[in-house]
Amino acid sequence: MVVLDGASLTIDSLAAVAEGRDQVALAPAARSRMAAAREIVDEAVRSEAVVYGLTTALAERKSVVLDAGARQGFSRFLIKGHLIAQGPLAPPPIVRAAMVCMANSFAKGVAGVRPELAEMLIHALNSGLAPAVRSLGSVGQADLGPLADLAEGLLNETGFVIADNEGLALVNNNAFSTGWAALAELAADRLLGEAEVAAALDLEAFAGNLSILHPIVIEARPHPGTVATMRRLRALLAGSSLFQPGHARNLQDPLTFRSIPQILGAGRDALGYVRTTIETELNSATANPAVVLAERRIVSVGNLDIVPV
């Protein structure tokens, strides 16, 4: 069971849910945090405070204040107004990855949506749902087009009724891009591991000179990725006669063999940076506006910018 608390989601646990290998639940503390944030949103509505996207329209119409009657249908209208995505349908695991990412983002309590919205996403995931989502197109910032497809599909399939501000929260974030990037990083990591296996087989078949795996390599140039690749290659080649003097084909192999630890190690270092960035994003809230629980206020922010990913 993967428990969403807004702070500890990993790429591996996201993939387990996205690929249907695990169930998901909302942490009790996250539910309480979301409920507390929603009280601030409801308080702003009751006091008729001017809050972007909650009591006002959006973008160039942000100065238009919505009355209670207009607010009732605004969230649903907002989703329908962004059904502009194009291109082929995204594979179901990518759609589900976006759902996990979005639910975990809501769990931080910054978007100001009700806990029931996150629980709707979680119930859909545990029921195996993956709405049809076109993979291309947006308008300005955020994954507006694909997420409008996702929101519309979920609301139609579940019958869930969204409240003020929840239409904006559903479309105005980067869950689709981030979820897709997470699965891509995991696939690249698996491919790199397979490249290490292939490299070990090649070295054995070619009778490569295993001086390339001597400890001096990482003592002289200790990049973490090279250290990890060296450790893996030595484990894969454990027991090989090539570690014995005189068993190698060449005194010095061509660069394609000699630089295997450095090349694959550099790939590991690059993927390490990617994983850190994506896992930070998985546990972030990209909502605008943002609820500040400690100050009991709502502020406009630019966290929806996708540039880190």
Side-chain angles (χ1 to χ4, degrees):
M1 175 72 70
V2 175
V3 178
L4 302 181
D5 59 8
S8 60
L9 181 63
T10 66
I11 288 176
D12 297 286
S13 57
L14 175 140
V17 178
E19 295 167 1
R21 294 181 281 109
D22 213 340
Q23 297 275 288
V24 65
L26 184 65
R31 194 183 200 289
S32 298
R33 188 164 54 244
M34 292 180 68
R38 187 65 196 183
E39 287 179 8
I40 297 171
V41 171
D42 292 340
E43 184 180 293
V45 172
R46 287 193 299 270
S47 66
E48 298 184 352
V50 179
V51 179
Y52 178 81
L54 176 62
T55 58
T56 76
L58 304 173
E60 70 276 4
R61 293 178 60 80
K62 59 183 177 290
S63 61
V64 177
V65 178
L66 305 173
D67 60 28
R71 284 199 308 272
Q72 286 182 354
F74 184 70
S75 275
R76 202 70 174 85
F77 170 79
L78 178 64
I79 293 170
K80 291 184 178 295
H82 286 91
L83 293 172
I84 48 76
Q86 301 294 320
L89 296 181
I94 290 172
V95 175
R96 290 171 55 81
M99 293 162 65
V100 179
C101 185
M102 189 184 298
N104 196 56
S105 176
F106 290 162
K108 293 191 77 70
V110 174
V113 301
R114 296 168 299 159
E116 289 82 0
L117 184 62
E119 289 168 344
M120 180 273 285
L121 286 163
I122 287 168
H123 177 73
L125 284 163
N126 290 340
S127 300
L129 293 181
V133 174
R134 294 166 291 180
S135 59
L136 301 176
S138 188
V139 188
Q141 299 275 14
D143 298 327
L144 298 173
L147 289 183
D149 276 359
L150 176 57
E152 183 73 4
L154 285 171
L155 296 179
N156 287 339
E157 291 193 53
T158 64
F160 186 84
V161 178
I162 54 176
D164 293 348
N165 194 47
E166 291 181 340
L168 180 61
L170 284 166
V171 301
N172 194 34
N173 64 78
N174 299 308
F176 187 70
S177 294
T178 304
W180 198 335
L183 296 186
E185 190 283 336
L186 189 61
D189 185 70
R190 290 169 178 164
L191 185 61
L192 192 53
E194 291 163 3
E196 289 170 341
V197 173
L201 286 169
D202 285 345
L203 285 164
E204 189 70 39
F206 185 73
N209 192 325
L210 297 192
S211 66
I212 66 168
L213 302 180
H214 191 281
I216 190 59
V217 171
I218 51 178
E219 289 173 14
R221 199 184 189 197
H223 287 290
T226 307
V227 172
T229 297
M230 290 267 290
R231 186 182 300 119
R232 180 94 193 282
L233 290 173
R234 291 187 72 88
L236 289 166
L237 289 163
S240 172
S241 63
L242 295 175
F243 283 108
Q244 303 302 317
H247 284 231
R249 176 193 298 253
N250 294 315
L251 174 65
Q252 177 175 283
D253 287 336
L255 278 171
T256 48
F257 288 94
R258 193 168 11 122
S259 297
I260 285 172
Q262 291 77 15
I263 294 168
L264 297 185
R268 287 224 165 271
D269 282 334
L271 274 181
Y273 169 76
V274 170
R275 177 170 282 249
T276 298
T277 299
I278 292 174
E279 290 191 339
T280 298
E281 197 74 8
L282 290 180
N283 293 288
S284 297
T286 57
N288 177 52
V291 177
V292 187
L293 273 171
E295 300 175 12
R296 296 194 65 79
R297 61 190 292 237
I298 306 171
V299 298
S300 292
V301 297
N303 273 351
L304 52 90
D305 200 302
I306 192 63
V307 70
V309 175

